Amino acid sequence: MRTASFPATAVVVLVILLLPGCGAETQPSLNPEHTKPMRVVSLDLCADQYVLKLVDRERILAVSPKATADFSYMREAAAGVPVVRPVAEDVLALKPDLVVRAYGGGPGATAFFERAGIPIVKVGWASDIAAVFDIVRRVSTGLQEQERGTALIEHMARRLDRLAARAGSASTLYMTPSGVTTGPGSLVHDMIVRAGLTNFQTQPGWNPIPLERLAYDTPDRVAAAFFDTRTSHPDAWSAMRHPVARATLRGQPTVPLKGAWTACAGWFLMDAVEALADPDVQVQSP
C-alpha cells in the first residue's frame, strides 16, 4: 500500500470517515469481539484464501487481484467477487468493517487502518504445521467463524493421523524454478517429515539447491513445487539452469506440488503432504 507518504486522496477519504456525523452514519458499527464483520476486504493472496474459505460470499466486499490466479487455492470461489488493489484510497472507499491481510499494502498497512478505525486480522507466517493450526484458529476467530476454523483444524489433524505411522526412509529434495530448496526449520521441511520422509537438504533455512552434493549423491525423490505455474520460470542466475539440477529433476521420481498447495500457510498444504506421502493418493480437501 502506498502509505509511506499517504496519497492526498487517501488522507481526504480518511478525514471524511473520521468526521463526527459522517463516519457515524456511513460506517458500520464495529464490535469485532461480538459481531460478525459484514464488510470484509482481503488485501493479498494468502488473506484471500482464508476469507474465501471462512466467510459467506455476501459478507465479502472485495479480494485481491491475485485471488483468481492459478496459484490461488480458492480461485474458483473467487470468481465474480469484486477485486480491490491494496491501495489506501481504494480500500477506504469501500468502507470495510474488517480488513484481512498477510503482506498486502506493505509494512505500514496495519497501523494505517487501525488509525482509521478499521479492525485488522493478520494472517501470519508458519514454520511448521502446528503454527498453521494457530493461524487457522486465530483468523477464524477474528472473522467470527470459529466453528468453521475448528472444522478445518480437525480435518487437517485426521489427515495427519493417517500419515503418522509411515516410516521416514525415502529422502526428498524440494526444488523450485527459482533454484532454491529448504531444510530444517521451515514449513516445507515439516511437511516432508509429516509425510513420513526425510529431507535431503540438511542445511537449515532456505538456500540454493545443493549442486555440489547432487553431483555425487541423489535423493530418492524430488518434490517439484511451482513448476506448474506459468509465472515461475528459472531466471538467468537460477541454479535450476545448471545441468546437474536439470538431470536430478528429470532422473529421479518426481512428485509435482501445485503452486496453490504451498503458496501460503493454510489448511490446503495437506494436499501437498498427502501427495508427498503417496504420489498416487487422491487428496481429500474439505
Side-chain angles (χ1 to χ4, degrees), residues 175-180 225-227 229 232-235 238-241:
M175 300 179 75
T176 66
S178 60
V180 298
F226 292 100
F227 285 86
T229 63
S232 296
H233 302 293
D235 60 36
S238 171
M240 276 307 304
R241 289 190 178 274

Side-chain angles (χ1 to χ4, degrees), residues 50 132-141 149 152-153 267:
Y50 282 91
V132 176
F133 287 170
D134 290 339
I135 293 173
V136 174
R137 186 177 298 109
R138 179 168 43 78
V139 173
S140 62
T141 298
L152 280 181
I153 292 170
W267 69 96

Side-chain angles (χ1 to χ4, degrees), residues 222-281:
V222 169
F226 292 100
F227 285 86
D228 62 313
T229 63
R230 292 188 293 271
T231 57
S232 296
H233 302 293
D235 60 36
W237 300 101
S238 171
M240 276 307 304
R241 289 190 178 274
H242 196 282
V244 170
R246 295 201 300 269
T248 302
L249 188 61
R250 290 195 306 265
Q252 299 306 112
T254 299
V255 181
L257 301 181
K258 296 180 181 179
W261 293 348
T262 56
C264 303
W267 69 96
F268 37 84
L269 60 79
M270 283 306 306
D271 290 8
V273 176
E274 290 177 346
L276 286 167
D278 184 353
D280 297 323
V281 74

Side-chain angles (χ1 to χ4, degrees), residues 86-176:
V87 177
E89 58 267 32
D90 292 6
V91 177
L92 289 174
L94 294 175
K95 300 183 178 65
D97 60 8
L98 185 71
V99 168
V100 184
R101 66 178 295 264
Y103 54 85
T110 294
F112 175 72
F113 286 116
E114 286 176 346
R115 287 196 297 271
I118 301 172
I120 293 283
V121 169
K122 188 76 165 62
V123 179
W125 307 102
S127 60
D128 54 34
I129 291 179
V132 176
F133 287 170
D134 290 339
I135 293 173
V136 174
R137 186 177 298 109
R138 179 168 43 78
V139 173
S140 62
T141 298
L143 292 168
Q144 296 299 314
E145 293 291 354
Q146 292 91 330
E147 290 186 6
R148 294 183 183 184
T150 298
L152 280 181
I153 292 170
E154 291 175 349
H155 188 78
M156 288 180 67
R158 288 193 298 270
R159 295 167 78 177
L160 287 171
D161 288 343
R162 290 196 291 267
L163 300 174
R166 292 177 177 266
S169 56
S171 63
T172 301
L173 176 63
Y174 179 81
M175 300 179 75
T176 66

Side-chain angles (χ1 to χ4, degrees), residues 197-220:
L197 308 169
T198 58
N199 195 344
F200 182 82
Q201 172 72 357
T202 57
Q203 186 173 353
W206 291 87
N207 294 280
I209 293 168
L211 294 173
E212 292 185 6
R213 181 182 175 192
L214 289 173
Y216 62 85
D217 191 14
T218 54
D220 295 320

